[in-house]
Amino acid sequence: TNVNLSAEATTTVSSETIPLLSEEDTTDDRSTTLTLLEHVNFNVPNHDYILDFYLRVLGCGLDPKVACNLMPDTDESFGRTGLIWATCGPNQFHLPRGEIGQSLPGHIGLRYRSLDNLKKRLELEIKDNNNNKCIESYEIVKDNDSNEIVIIKDRYGTIFYCREGAEKLTQYRHSFVKSSETDKYGDVAVKYGMEEETDCRGIDYVEFNCKKGIAKKIAAFYESVLDVAATVIEEDGTIVALIGFGDVDNKSCYPQYMKFRETSEEIPAYDGHHLAIYVGENMNDFEDAFHKVDRAGIISTNWRDKIDATTIETARQVNQFRFQTIFDIETNETIFELEHEIRSVEFPTFPGKRRK
């Protein structure tokens, strides 16, 4: 789809607030085992576009733990060479080095208190950077309720839907480099530091395009394997599976969700991007999740991990495990691939308070 880089468009898209339980749903169990969709991970070949895109244009902050990776005059490093963590309220984007820039088939929904500063930064990006822009394109559209959405496509093909509204996850926060912390971070604080808060306030949802006929199967997978709140709706003539995160509100909505939207368009081959998800409230909840995924036979590993969490003992040791395969629970056929990095609330970088 070609988008307008300068003028406001009048495209109409769906509203962001979608209940995960229909009025006809008579069940009283509205709980979900998924606590927080915490970060999205994309491999990037270098810093050429991603620093400006995530930190300057989107208005994310730089996690202090990785600031040393941008400081040439220090012997310190964090993680693998070139790793960047971009903070937005309770969430992050993890951006390790990889040969090919990754993207996901769908889009990511971001939250802002106001879109005004984002729109100004986008205007300047188009005006001042000519052929060296860190974005591919953007447009401004209206949803069904006439609310503005700023749609941005980055240089690697990932699309972001930016909306304004009240924050939903104030109990979680990641830190970021402050502009006043030049004694610690030098020029990095001058260039990328913020003082009070990040302009981008978090990830509301991640939407994936999927093949026709599998949204209900995906919802059934999450309900069966992870005991999560999942449902299927029809939206704008398409079938969508919704997977809820966090506590349900009085409108039967959750603060975050994954969406799997059926489409007749070709789905690109899975390129290895992943989501990090916190489960439950304690170690027992985490262990229950591990056992369920283990019984399903889909525990996976990632070459970046120092320890492969393939047993309950190793999963306890590192407070996380992974799986990638989403399958039809009736036929065992693989229907979607997406690496899930499942974490305990005991994981060292959990952005909330641990309950005793």
Side-chain angles (χ1 to χ4, degrees), residues 33-36 38 172 276-290 309 312 314-322 340-355:
T33 59
L34 304 181
T35 301
L36 177 68
E38 188 262 345
Y172 304 112
I277 294 168
Y278 285 89
V279 294
E281 298 179 355
N282 51 50
M283 182 58 73
N284 288 335
D285 294 338
F286 171 75
E287 291 181 7
D288 285 345
F290 177 88
I312 188 60
T314 50
R316 286 195 197 107
Q317 182 180 350
V318 296
N319 285 296
Q320 71 174 35
F321 65 91
R322 299 175 188 262
H340 301 61
E341 186 177 21
I342 304 296
R343 291 180 168 180
S344 158
V345 295
E346 298 298 323
F347 195 87
T349 57
F350 176 60
K353 294 182 179 179
R354 297 175 178 85
R355 300 183 186 182

Side-chain angles (χ1 to χ4, degrees), residues 50-61 86-88 93 108 110-112 117-118 121-122 134-135 150 152-154 160-162 194 198-201:
I50 60 108
L51 287 173
D52 277 348
F53 178 72
Y54 285 94
L55 303 182
R56 182 171 57 79
V57 173
L58 287 187
C60 298
T87 289
C88 48
F93 292 95
I108 298 171
L110 299 179
R111 167 84 36 175
Y112 291 77
N117 288 331
L118 174 64
R121 293 193 297 270
L122 287 165
C134 66
I135 66 171
V150 178
I152 309 167
K153 186 176 183 180
D154 75 7
F160 300 81
Y161 279 43
C162 306
M194 299 181 175
T198 59
D199 193 30
C200 181
R201 304 306 301 155

Side-chain angles (χ1 to χ4, degrees), residues 29-54:
D29 183 9
R30 299 183 178 191
S31 62
T32 180
T33 59
L34 304 181
T35 301
L36 177 68
L37 196 170
E38 188 262 345
H39 76 249
V40 182
N41 187 106
F42 294 119
N43 289 356
V44 293
N46 51 54
H47 295 156
D48 288 353
Y49 303 117
I50 60 108
L51 287 173
D52 277 348
F53 178 72
Y54 285 94

Side-chain angles (χ1 to χ4, degrees), residues 81-189:
T81 302
L83 176 63
I84 298 298
W85 290 356
T87 289
C88 48
N91 303 117
Q92 292 190 326
F93 292 95
H94 287 194
L95 305 158
R97 290 277 179 87
E99 292 184 3
I100 299 174
Q102 294 175 335
S103 63
L104 61 81
H107 70 269
I108 298 171
L110 299 179
R111 167 84 36 175
Y112 291 77
R113 289 206 183 105
S114 169
L115 294 174
D116 290 346
N117 288 331
L118 174 64
K119 290 189 288 186
K120 291 177 182 177
R121 293 193 297 270
L122 287 165
E123 290 174 3
L124 288 174
E125 179 66 14
I126 295 301
K127 178 181 178 181
D128 295 343
N129 289 294
N130 298 320
N131 295 324
N132 197 33
K133 299 184 294 292
C134 66
I135 66 171
E136 183 68 29
S137 59
Y138 84 93
E139 65 176 334
I140 301 171
V141 304
K142 303 280 188 179
D143 68 15
N144 292 333
D145 298 319
S146 297
N147 299 311
E148 277 190 344
I149 305 174
V150 178
I151 302 176
I152 309 167
K153 186 176 183 180
D154 75 7
R155 291 293 293 258
Y156 299 113
T158 297
I159 297 172
F160 300 81
Y161 279 43
C162 306
R163 296 177 171 88
E164 64 181 32
E167 294 177 70
K168 301 177 181 180
L169 294 167
T170 56
Q171 70 271 41
Y172 304 112
R173 275 297 174 270
H174 277 295
S175 57
F176 56 90
V177 171
K178 303 291 182 61
S179 55
S180 59
E181 295 179 306
T182 54
D183 56 329
K184 293 181 181 179
Y185 307 114
D187 290 343
V188 171

